[in-house]
Amino acid sequence: MRKLITLLAAAAFLAAPASQSLAARRLPPPSHSNHLTPWPTICGIASAASVMVGTEIKANDQDKTKRRQLTITEATWWASVCPVVLPLALLSTATCPDNKATYEVARLAYLYVKKHPGADQSAFTNAYAEACHTGKLSRATLRILTGLAH
């Protein structure tokens, strides 16, 4: 949760103008009558923040053996706090329902990223596709992922 607060504080700091305080800043009058202009930005920020919250919840589970990344389906549902993303969440659920294999890929990916921050996760992406299509992981794939994670 501290990471989320730090990220939000950093974003607010970077968004503030350097030459003027927010109170002294004067905005030009709107050049059009569209009052929905800030909604795409607000919606995007809300979706990103929601996914961050979901990630922190799964990554900080009380049972250390259940800590993991979000699956793709879970991430799209967390992002659907913005209604524009809702069709993507529905499509994600229809094409790849979560199962034991997708949860295992997410758990091993979490362990891998914890040991190697910023490393390439393409092996986990490929394994996630296998888990979606077959509902399970082959022994070879599971062996490779376990070797990477540990």
Side-chain angles (χ1 to χ4, degrees):
M1 195 62 168
R2 286 183 280 172
K3 290 180 186 177
L4 174 64
I5 294 170
T6 304
L7 284 172
L8 292 176
F13 178 75
L14 292 174
S19 61
Q20 302 176 13
S21 71
L22 290 175
R25 185 174 177 194
R26 292 186 185 202
L27 297 175
S31 59
H32 53 79
S33 62
N34 182 2
H35 298 291
L36 299 176
T37 304
W39 285 108
T41 304
I42 292 169
C43 199
I45 291 170
S47 288
S50 180
V51 170
M52 285 185 220
V53 168
T55 300
E56 286 296 315
I57 289 171
K58 294 299 179 186
N60 294 308
D61 196 305
Q62 287 182 348
D63 184 359
K64 290 185 179 184
T65 61
K66 292 183 179 180
R67 291 182 181 177
R68 61 180 173 83
Q69 293 181 345
L70 291 175
T71 64
I72 294 171
T73 304
E74 289 172 331
T76 56
W77 280 106
W78 277 96
S80 68
V81 69
C82 175
V84 175
V85 185
L86 187 59
L88 179 63
L90 293 169
L91 180 65
S92 175
T93 302
T95 58
C96 182
D98 284 336
N99 54 46
K100 288 182 182 180
T102 58
Y103 291 129
E104 183 64 14
V105 171
R107 188 184 70 78
L108 291 170
Y110 168 79
L111 293 173
Y112 177 70
V113 170
K114 191 173 179 180
K115 287 187 177 184
H116 311 289
D120 181 24
Q121 295 185 52
S122 60
F124 297 95
T125 304
N126 296 337
Y128 192 85
E130 178 184 331
C132 282
H133 295 299
T134 64
K136 55 186 173 184
L137 294 172
S138 67
R139 289 181 187 173
T141 303
L142 191 57
R143 194 175 326 118
I144 291 169
L145 297 182
T146 304
L148 288 171
H150 296 288

